[in-house]
């Protein structure tokens, strides 16, 4: 069954807005989980209803007195799991509402460099690193750890920043491009780890993102706009970057595999390492495009607040929009849950009422107790299902001299009788069945005897006849 574990607490206010509400953010992930829960809820309702109808179908197909299949698991557990997934769905929707309310209540952040950083909570350093200086294209690189002060102004001779550019970003999202003007030599394949390949892939993606931002600065437009209009060029650049990273590395790795065939252990190690490099190469495109989108989005997204005033975190207005939004969603959520539960219960009631009605209809004709008692008291009559039968002793195994035949007398204690009774007999010779034949009697009414004739094919000479079954073919 589909399962999703939502966060134990709402995302803190100081996380980036894009991290919460972007295409790959918490809200998007929760939305996907909610859709899965809703789909599974309705699937389980369908399983319960189908199980009920299949039960009715097998009940109808079974002859009176015979057993039939009851799909208990589908009828019982279908509604149970439907309700479980419905509860998960609405809990997930509640978390989505809380995250969105937290984003709205935190307010938009400014795009300029903060003048002064307020005291930062001590426990937040390990959870979220300090923002770092993010120079735009054309600006000089500053020493590691340098941050602009409250009175700092950029050199007027430096190029203008691209539209919407932030001077502070998270360290993991700052562009650190690598030189892609030639092939990248990473050393011997045996010394190249997956972590090293991932790092080089990110740096190569940063180089492509840097070129996009440079073009945006020259056009004086938002880098995201430039990114949207240069998708084809970016795909070409990603392919070229992949070749420059992996072409020589894979060639050296293949040579290493060939040279290691003299030792099975060395050959297996070389082959496994080469496979890792090839898998990393296959994943490069997706990783590069994701990195390019992430670093450019971070460069122009509203920066998170590093140090809000202590009163802001505890202020009542921050929670008020959340409660208001949740209240607005409460009624449709409750209506949806009610609809789902009522549908499940209604399906079960339809199934149960169908079984009851079927039981009632099959029992309605009933058995005439007087006729049944009378037939039970006759030793020459024997019960066969809903009928009683008696062999007719005259002319047994003789018919017209060329074929064997047999006759039966039949009666039924069924109140409604039977329009057509079909008898099937096995004819045996020395204990072996030499043929199975049938005959019919019509208009068999309760308490009335009817004779039934069964004739074999010519040439069949049985020494014993056994009654196989008697069936009402109404």
């Amino acid at each position: 069954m589909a399962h999703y574990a939502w966060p134990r607490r709402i995302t803190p206010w100081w996380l980036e807005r894009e991290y919460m509400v972007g295409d790959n953010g918490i809200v998007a992930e929760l939305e996907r989980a909610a859709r899965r829960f809703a789909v599974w809820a309705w699937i389980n309702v369908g399983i319960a209803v189908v199980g009920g109808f299949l039960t009715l179908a097998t009940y109808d197909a079974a002859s009176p007195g015979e057993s039939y299949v009851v799909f208990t698991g589908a009828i019982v557990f279908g509604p149970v799991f439907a309700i479980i997934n419905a509860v998960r769905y609405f809990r997930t929707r509640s978390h989505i509402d809380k995250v969105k309310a937290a984003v709205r209540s935190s307010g938009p952040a400014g795009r300029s460099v903060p003048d002064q950083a307020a005291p930062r909570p001590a426990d937040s350093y390990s959870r979220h690193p300090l923002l770092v200086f993010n120079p735009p294209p054309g600006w000089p690189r500053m020493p590691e750890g340098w941050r602009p002060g409250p009175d700092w102004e950029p050199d007027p001779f430096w190029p203008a920043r691209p539209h919407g550019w932030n001077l502070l970003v998270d360290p993991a999202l700052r562009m650190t491009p690598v030189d892609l003007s030639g092939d990248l030599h990473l050393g011997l394949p045996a010394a190249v780890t997956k972590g090293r390949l991932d790092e080089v892939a990110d740096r190569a993606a940063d180089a492509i993102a840097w070129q996009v931002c440079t073009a945006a600065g020259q056009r004086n437009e938002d880098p995201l706009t430039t990114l949207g209009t240069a998708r084809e060029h970016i795909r070409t650049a990603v392919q070229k970057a992949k070749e420059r990273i992996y072409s020589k590395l894979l060639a050296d790795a293949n040579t290493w595999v060939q040279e290691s065939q003299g030792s099975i252990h060395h050959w297996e190690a070389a082959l496994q390492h080469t496979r890792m490099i090839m898998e990393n190469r296959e994943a490069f495109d997706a990783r590069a495009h994701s990195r390019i989108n992430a670093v450019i989005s971070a460069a122009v997204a509203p920066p998170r607040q590093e140090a809000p005033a202590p009163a802001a975190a505890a202020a009542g207005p921050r929670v008020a929009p959340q409660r208001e939004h949740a209240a607005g969603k409460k009624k449709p959520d409750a209506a949806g849950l009610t609809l789902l539960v009522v549908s499940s219960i209604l399906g079960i009631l339809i199934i149960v009422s169908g079984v009851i009605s079927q039981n009632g209809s099959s029992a309605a004709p009933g058995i005439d107790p007087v006729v049944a008692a009378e037939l039970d008291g006759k030793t020459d009559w024997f019960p066969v299902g809903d009928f009683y039968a008696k062999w007719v002793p005259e002319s047994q195994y003789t018919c017209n001299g060329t074929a064997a035949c047999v006759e039966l007398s039949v009666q039924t204690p069924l109140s409604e009788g039977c329009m057509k009774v079909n008898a099937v007999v096995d004819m045996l010779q020395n204990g072996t069945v030499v043929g199975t034949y049938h005959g019919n009697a019509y208009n068999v009414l309760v308490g009335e005897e009817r004779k039934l004739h069964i004739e074999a094919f010519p040439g069949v000479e049985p020494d014993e006849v056994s009654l196989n079954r008697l069936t009402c073919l109404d």
Side-chain angles (χ1 to χ4, degrees):
M1 195 60 59
H3 177 70
Y4 177 81
W6 39 74
R8 291 182 178 274
R9 54 172 295 174
I10 300 305
T11 306
W13 53 266
W14 33 261
L15 283 182
E16 293 180 6
R17 184 181 303 266
E18 283 72 20
Y19 176 69
M20 290 190 286
V21 299
D23 292 339
N24 297 315
I26 292 176
V27 171
E29 187 175 355
L30 290 174
E31 291 279 5
R32 289 190 290 270
R35 286 194 293 271
R36 287 198 300 271
F37 292 144
V39 169
W40 275 108
W42 287 111
I43 286 176
N44 282 287
V45 170
I47 289 173
V49 174
V50 170
F53 282 112
L54 289 177
T55 300
L56 292 179
T58 59
Y59 179 85
D60 289 336
S63 299
E66 293 184 359
S67 61
Y68 56 93
V69 180
V70 179
F71 293 84
T72 309
I75 296 173
V76 175
F77 292 106
V80 170
F81 284 114
I83 294 173
I84 290 174
N85 279 284
V87 172
R88 288 175 175 172
Y89 169 79
F90 291 115
R91 287 181 63 187
T92 306
R93 294 300 314 176
S94 175
H95 280 276
I96 293 172
D97 296 340
K98 292 178 181 178
V99 171
K100 288 183 177 179
V103 171
R104 287 198 307 272
S105 61
S106 62
R111 289 180 174 264
S112 59
V113 180
D115 293 336
Q116 180 98 22
R120 184 181 178 85
D123 64 340
S124 65
Y125 283 98
S126 60
R127 295 179 296 181
H128 210 286
L130 286 170
L131 299 178
V132 296
F133 184 63
N134 182 42
W139 287 25
R141 290 282 177 179
M142 299 298 182
E144 190 66 28
W146 180 88
R147 287 160 58 91
D151 300 327
W152 179 83
E153 292 290 341
D155 192 313
F157 295 101
W158 292 349
R161 289 183 287 176
H163 181 71
W165 187 271
N166 289 320
L167 293 178
L168 293 177
V169 297
D170 283 338
L173 296 175
R174 182 175 60 179
M175 299 179 208
T176 53
V178 69
D179 185 11
L180 293 177
S181 58
D183 292 340
L184 298 177
H185 301 294
L186 305 182
L188 296 176
V192 178
T193 63
K194 183 180 184 302
R196 173 61 176 157
L197 286 175
D198 290 342
E199 179 185 359
V200 172
D202 287 345
R203 302 292 80 81
D206 288 353
I208 299 173
W210 189 261
Q211 294 173 3
V212 173
C213 294
T214 301
Q218 295 170 352
R219 301 175 186 176
N220 193 26
E221 66 180 9
D222 192 305
L224 288 176
T225 303
T226 308
L227 177 66
T229 58
R231 292 293 183 185
E232 193 61 36
H233 296 288
I234 291 173
R235 277 193 288 270
T236 303
V238 168
Q239 292 299 318
K240 291 182 178 179
K242 180 166 65 174
E243 291 303 316
R244 289 174 178 173
I245 295 174
Y246 294 97
S247 57
K248 187 177 188 309
L249 185 61
L250 279 175
D252 293 343
N254 289 330
T255 303
W256 179 28
V257 171
Q258 297 297 326
E259 293 175 350
S260 302
Q261 291 183 359
S263 171
I264 185 64
H265 298 294
H266 291 171
W267 181 78
E268 288 181 350
L271 192 63
Q272 184 175 2
H273 209 75
T274 302
R275 187 181 296 112
M276 181 273 294
I277 296 173
M278 293 179 66
E279 290 175 352
N280 194 279
R281 182 181 185 276
E282 292 301 319
F284 177 82
D285 288 9
R287 185 183 185 94
H289 285 290
S290 176
R291 175 71 181 181
I292 292 169
N293 290 334
V295 294
I296 293 180
S297 297
V300 297
R304 59 178 171 83
Q305 298 177 358
E306 279 197 311
R318 181 178 298 276
V319 185
Q322 175 180 323
R323 289 199 300 266
E324 180 182 354
H325 188 65
K329 282 284 184 179
K330 188 172 183 180
K331 289 184 178 179
D333 286 354
L337 179 59
T338 303
L339 178 61
L340 181 62
V341 174
V342 168
S343 300
S344 302
I345 296 175
L346 185 60
I348 296 174
L349 290 178
I350 291 173
I351 295 166
V352 173
S353 63
V355 172
I356 293 174
S357 64
Q358 290 293 326
N359 287 336
S361 62
S362 63
I367 300 292
D368 189 322
V370 176
V371 176
E374 181 182 351
L375 292 172
D376 284 335
K378 296 180 179 181
T379 56
D380 53 344
W381 289 83
F382 53 93
V384 185
D386 291 330
F387 300 91
Y388 284 78
K390 179 181 71 171
W391 292 108
V392 178
E394 294 80 15
S395 303
Q396 289 293 307
Y397 316 133
T398 61
C399 186
N400 55 16
T402 60
C405 64
V406 67
E407 289 184 341
L408 281 171
S409 290
V410 294
Q411 287 195 54
T412 180
L414 293 175
S415 300
E416 291 189 352
C418 181
M419 296 298 294
K420 180 180 179 181
V421 177
N422 177 257
V424 179
V425 299
D426 295 325
M427 294 191 178
L428 302 90
Q429 190 175 40
N430 298 325
T432 302
V433 176
V434 293
T436 299
Y437 304 94
H438 69 89
N440 300 316
Y442 298 91
N443 248 357
V444 180
L445 303 178
V446 60
E448 294 186 5
E449 182 178 337
R450 289 285 186 275
K451 186 171 289 188
L452 193 148
H453 182 84
I454 302 173
E455 186 172 333
F457 292 151
V460 176
E461 299 178 355
D463 54 23
E464 183 182 356
V465 176
S466 173
L467 180 60
N468 190 314
R469 65 180 179 272
L470 279 173
T471 308
C472 181
L473 298 181
D474 284 351

